[in-house]
Amino acid sequence: MAMKRAATSAVRALTSSGNSAASSVFTRHLHASPGSKKIVGVFYTANEYASMNPNFVGCVENALGIREWLESQGHQYIVTPDKDGPDCELDKHIPDLHVLISTPFHPAYVTAERIKKAKNLQLLLTAGIGSDHIDLKAAADAGLTVAEVTGSNVVSVAEDELMRILILVRNFLPGYHQVINGDWNVAAIAHRAYDLEGKTVGTVGAGRIGRLLLQRLKPFNCNLLYHDRLRIDPELESQIGATFEEDLDAMLPKCDIIVINTPLTEKTKGLFNKEKIAKLKKGVLIVNNARGAIMDTQAVVDACSSGHIGGYSGDVWYPQPAPKDHPWRYMPNQAMTPHISGTTIDAQLRYAAGVKDMLERYFEGEDFPAQHYIVKDGELASQYR
């Protein structure tokens, strides 16, 4: 209960700011007209796990915990996991839905084609952080509003990144596999297990998640570097002990460990290709909880196979869910998982509350907290430009 209260308090603090004075475009597109609205949510299926935790709200079965509230106000709320293919359930509702809610963990890819067919669509909400599953330019051109629950799972992702760094540095997974396979070979683990202390860790991107990661790494006495389009506040930078690297190509060869914390944009798509990876230190460890498409899939496979990348871990793939033949499943020296870092129970409570808050504001024709907007009035948020 204490955890739930803490999460709820965090969401209230997160969503308490914002200007209620709506712009003319916002009013034209988001001032909900009287009557029932059709809201569609796309989430992952939990099956038997749905009933194991009353706070497990991020799945189809529990639908962010807002079904009763929406239906009590006369709105239609449809949830589905079926989002891909020409005959999927989502496409049946595209022509007449008003609001589409999706998550980065089971993303509904909102293409320009889908936007063109969605004649009643006004609002695209991301339950979580990261709206690159949406064609943002097409959304802007169509006058749609795109928003996400900024800050809702930054702690969750930063903690997960720290865990993955330690898993790779200490060569944890081979030891785990030995235990479950009935083996015992210390040398097979120890020959490439290291301490984190003294290593150079660089984050590509130092937004909310990147800054939290740097703060959590400070007690490990690492050499901390970061590259971003914006420099961290000097006082915080001094407290963390991190060094700003303006030139990404100059930073990368210095790093023993690289963490990807940048959004997926046209500029960052395929950023880590064969040429970029060749510039990295041999045996480098990479953690990517940002987006799978930032990496060239085959280039990562080749570098892990050759040993140029000593270990690769993350929870993001392209596409998602990852197909059974995705090569990252089978490459050596990987510690991959499904997309889980930002969908802890605590994070689910925060992003569910954030979605409800924005829906309430939508029904009332009120503005959202400014930091939640990804597309507003035909303009993309700065990180996606």
Side-chain angles (χ1 to χ4, degrees):
M1 289 299 294
M3 184 180 293
K4 183 177 181 180
R5 287 194 297 271
T8 303
S9 297
V11 176
R12 287 174 179 165
L14 180 70
T15 57
S16 62
S17 62
N19 183 0
S20 61
S23 69
S24 58
V25 176
F26 180 90
T27 302
R28 182 171 69 249
H29 289 291
L30 277 192
H31 197 296
S33 56
S36 174
K37 297 298 174 187
K38 184 173 184 177
I39 300 161
V40 176
V42 177
F43 312 115
Y44 54 80
T45 302
N47 297 315
E48 70 272 20
Y49 302 105
S51 61
M52 291 184 177
N53 188 329
N55 292 327
F56 188 6
V57 295
C59 56
V60 163
E61 292 85 349
N62 297 326
L64 299 184
I66 57 175
R67 178 180 297 282
E68 184 177 347
W69 168 68
L70 284 172
E71 292 180 349
S72 71
Q73 299 193 32
H75 303 296
Q76 185 181 10
Y77 186 34
I78 295 166
V79 295
T80 180
D82 186 17
K83 62 188 181 69
D84 299 315
D87 299 316
C88 69
E89 184 68 19
L90 173 59
D91 278 350
K92 296 176 184 177
H93 302 288
I94 287 290
D96 63 345
L97 58 78
H98 298 91
V99 180
L100 176 60
I101 307 168
S102 185
T103 77
F105 320 107
H106 189 75
Y109 293 105
V110 184
T111 61
E113 181 182 5
R114 277 177 163 167
I115 289 173
K116 187 176 181 180
K117 293 177 180 177
K119 302 301 184 183
N120 293 339
L121 181 60
Q122 298 173 324
L123 175 61
L124 291 159
L125 289 177
T126 299
I129 302 170
S131 297
D132 48 88
H133 54 282
I134 299 167
D135 186 326
L136 297 177
K137 183 179 184 304
D141 291 345
L144 302 178
T145 293
V146 181
E148 60 188 41
V149 191
T150 300
S152 59
N153 55 15
V154 293
V155 169
S156 313
V157 177
E159 288 183 356
D160 188 273
E161 288 176 341
L162 179 55
M163 175 189 72
R164 291 175 190 274
I165 290 172
L166 290 167
I167 284 172
L168 292 178
V169 169
R170 301 307 292 264
N171 203 23
F172 175 83
L173 280 184
Y176 170 73
H177 291 146
Q178 282 187 25
V179 170
I180 61 176
N181 292 330
D183 299 327
W184 188 278
N185 187 345
V186 173
I189 307 162
H191 81 285
R192 49 177 295 177
Y194 297 89
D195 295 339
L196 180 53
E197 184 175 47
K199 302 301 183 290
T200 297
V201 184
T203 175
V204 182
R208 290 176 175 86
I209 295 170
R211 290 195 301 269
L212 283 176
L213 176 65
L214 291 171
Q215 289 173 312
R216 281 152 175 75
L217 283 168
K218 182 180 179 181
F220 288 89
N221 297 319
C222 302
N223 178 30
L224 301 176
L225 309 177
Y226 74 95
H227 169 80
D228 198 281
R229 59 190 179 86
L230 299 174
R231 190 161 184 170
I232 294 174
D233 175 77
E235 183 177 353
L236 179 59
E237 184 182 88
S238 178
Q239 289 173 359
I240 296 171
T243 300
F244 175 64
E245 296 276 347
E246 186 174 3
D247 186 342
L248 176 61
D249 286 339
M251 181 186 84
L252 292 177
K254 301 175 184 177
C255 298
D256 302 301
I257 302 156
I258 295 168
V259 186
I260 313 301
N261 276 311
T262 188
L264 176 62
T265 67
E266 287 302 315
K267 293 179 181 178
T268 63
K269 186 175 182 179
L271 174 64
F272 281 80
N273 54 22
K274 182 179 179 180
E275 292 72 29
K276 187 77 72 178
I277 291 172
K279 297 177 181 179
L280 309 182
K281 184 181 293 188
K282 182 173 173 56
V284 67
L285 306 177
I286 299 177
V287 171
N288 179 16
N289 280 2
R291 287 296 182 265
I294 293 172
M295 317 300 290
D296 179 312
T297 298
Q298 190 58 47
V300 171
V301 174
D302 293 342
C304 283
S305 299
S306 71
H308 192 81
I309 294 177
Y312 185 91
S313 184
D315 69 337
V316 288
W317 310 66
Y318 186 78
Q320 288 187 184
K324 290 184 178 181
D325 62 352
H326 196 293
W328 286 0
R329 292 180 182 267
Y330 309 105
M331 65 187 181
N333 304 321
Q334 58 92 355
M336 296 295 295
T337 68
H339 196 168
I340 57 169
S341 62
T343 188
T344 64
I345 296 299
D346 306 277
Q348 289 176 46
L349 292 172
R350 290 189 291 263
Y351 62 67
V355 167
K356 183 179 179 182
D357 175 77
M358 286 191 281
L359 287 174
E360 287 178 326
R361 292 169 185 261
Y362 161 66
F363 296 142
E364 296 297 325
E366 297 177 358
D367 213 341
F368 299 161
Q371 69 271 21
H372 289 359
Y373 285 108
I374 301 302
V375 175
K376 181 185 180 186
D377 300 346
E379 294 289 331
L380 274 65
S382 59
Q383 66 266 36
Y384 285 101
R385 292 176 195 161

